[in-house]
Amino acid sequence: MDKTFARGVIRMTATSAPPSPAVRISGLSKIYKTGFWFLPKVSRALKSLDLEIAPRQAFGLLGLNGAGKTTAIKIMLGLLKPDTGTVEILGGHIGQRSIRNRIGYLPELPYFSRQHTGRELLAYFGALHGLSGKALSSRVDEVLELVRMTKSANEKLAGYSKGMQQRIGIGQALIGKPEFLICDEPMSGLDPVGYKEMRDIFIDLKRTGTTLFLNTHILDEVERICDRVGVLHEGVLKDIQNVTDIMDSDLPVDYWIDVKSGEASKLSGLPFREAVARHEGIHVQGAALSETLALISSKGARVCGIRPLSSQIEAYFLKTIGLDRIISHAAVPSPGGAS
């Protein structure tokens, strides 16, 4: 083989190789034992979890309460030891200080000294990362601006709202410029304004190349922020998908068809006539949307609007954990039944 050609093949192979994952979890299991020592109750929080997260990716882990999401995070952070399996983060182990310095963490319920101001809190955590002097002051100002807390920087945490506490919590997680940020239920308890502010922060972090791991049960958050999503159910990782693939799928969603109550008189003979008279509309599954609209139109009634009541992310989640049929059959009738 020509040497020049061979060198070209080697170079192409090297440049085309995929980057190493930011996180690689292999065969992770965790068992909790509670109760009396002679009659313990065994709970398997995680069962052979395998997961890889690419650099600069936003990954969302979905699951019901008790699915094992927080256990997975605590093991990733070195706060719990797994019974089996390994965790590799940023090419190393969480036990290495050099790796810990590259990771940020926002717990579900962050708690800080309420007697300190936001600026003092960030300065404290910045000092723990080895910053001092002008470098520390500059970094604190930068983070305060990033998390929209500049105006409240000199107020004590005792006067902070829930949303402000979450934002300053994100700030302490970011003060060391982490390459990998782990957030456990970051939107929990926020009002609509706080929710939007936190979402915008995560989107900004994505733009700057931070790898994100979000443990959440707020599905709208996943759709707007995450690149990939995994579903953890009863300790088992059921599935992983790209969010764009889910959004482009034909998974059924629910809709509300707005029909003024005055139009109900035109719907004689249709089983949902009374529902329209009482609620000025009807709740239908996506698969029945066209059929329902055709029935309403055939009677000469006017539809005022159509609103989605669920999302494809929600449909995907419910289908993955096996609750889609149970919930849809219980809550949403076909066009042949009233809603």
Side-chain angles (χ1 to χ4, degrees):
M1 179 183 291
D2 180 76
K3 292 183 179 180
T4 302
F5 176 76
R7 286 196 296 269
V9 170
I10 293 172
R11 282 197 297 269
M12 286 190 296
T13 302
T15 56
S16 61
S20 299
V23 178
R24 180 184 283 121
I25 297 174
S26 304
L28 207 63
S29 297
K30 180 63 181 177
I31 298 174
Y32 292 110
K33 293 182 179 180
T34 58
F36 297 103
W37 65 269
F38 57 86
L39 191 63
K41 181 180 179 181
V42 176
S43 174
R44 297 182 179 274
L46 290 176
K47 305 172 186 177
S48 299
L49 174 64
D50 294 319
L51 174 64
E52 289 190 358
I53 303 173
R56 306 171 69 91
Q57 184 179 83
F59 181 84
L61 186 63
L62 300 178
L64 302 174
N65 292 336
K69 306 189 301 299
T70 298
T71 294
I73 285 178
K74 288 181 177 180
I75 292 175
M76 291 169 65
L77 292 169
L79 303 176
L80 282 177
K81 289 186 177 181
D83 292 297
T84 64
T86 59
V87 178
E88 182 181 295
I89 300 178
L90 302 175
H93 186 269
I94 192 64
Q96 301 169 258
R97 183 169 183 174
S98 60
I99 297 298
R100 293 198 302 272
N101 285 342
R102 298 160 65 191
I103 299 172
Y105 171 53
L106 176 68
E108 179 179 1
L109 298 172
Y111 181 80
F112 309 110
S113 171
R114 295 168 61 85
Q115 299 307 311
H116 290 91
T117 66
R119 184 180 298 278
E120 290 170 342
L121 180 77
L122 295 186
Y124 170 75
F125 281 98
L128 292 180
H129 279 275
L131 298 175
S132 62
K134 291 183 178 179
L136 175 59
S137 179
S138 176
R139 181 56 182 164
V140 168
D141 288 340
E142 183 180 342
V143 171
L144 285 169
E145 183 176 355
L146 175 63
V147 299
R148 285 75 161 165
M149 288 293 290
T150 301
K151 292 182 179 179
S152 305
N154 297 319
E155 298 176 15
K156 290 188 176 182
L157 271 68
Y160 279 11
S161 66
K162 171 69 174 177
M164 294 166 71
Q165 290 178 25
Q166 288 289 87
R167 280 184 280 148
I168 207 67
I170 281 284
Q172 65 80 26
L174 296 177
I175 196 72
K177 295 185 178 180
E179 298 171 44
F180 180 47
L181 178 63
I182 302 174
C183 296
D184 193 359
E185 301 290 0
M187 308 296 197
S188 177
L190 296 182
D191 60 25
V193 174
Y195 173 88
K196 182 183 184 304
E197 289 172 340
M198 288 292 289
R199 185 183 69 216
D200 290 344
I201 290 170
F202 287 129
I203 291 173
D204 285 345
L205 290 172
K206 278 185 62 177
R207 293 194 187 105
T208 61
T210 304
T211 303
L212 300 176
F213 181 99
L214 305 182
N215 165 22
T216 181
H217 59 262
I218 300 179
L219 303 182
D220 180 60
E221 174 184 333
V222 171
E223 180 180 334
R224 294 172 181 267
I225 299 171
C226 296
D227 302 301
R228 294 174 71 225
V229 60
V231 177
L232 191 66
H233 187 57
E234 296 179 348
V236 178
L237 187 63
K238 293 289 188 178
D239 192 46
I240 298 178
Q241 292 288 339
N242 292 325
V243 171
T244 53
D245 291 340
I246 297 173
M247 301 307 297
D248 291 338
S249 70
D250 58 357
L251 287 166
V253 298
D254 297 342
Y255 291 90
W256 180 266
I257 303 175
D258 286 308
V259 184
K260 293 295 184 182
S261 58
E263 300 287 289
S265 60
K266 302 177 183 178
L267 302 177
S268 59
L270 296 183
F272 50 79
R273 176 183 178 279
E274 292 300 321
V276 171
R278 292 197 306 269
H279 307 299
E280 296 193 335
I282 180 173
H283 181 184
V284 299
Q285 291 178 332
L289 179 62
S290 296
E291 179 186 354
T292 306
L293 291 172
L295 287 171
I296 294 172
S297 178
S298 70
K299 295 292 186 175
R302 184 169 60 92
V303 171
C304 300
I306 303 170
R307 294 174 285 152
L309 297 177
S310 60
S311 69
Q312 285 167 303
I313 292 287
E314 179 180 314
Y316 163 74
F317 174 67
L318 293 175
K319 180 179 180 181
T320 303
I321 65 174
L323 291 181
D324 54 329
R325 293 184 178 182
I326 296 173
I327 292 177
S328 63
H329 288 173
V332 186
S334 69
S339 174

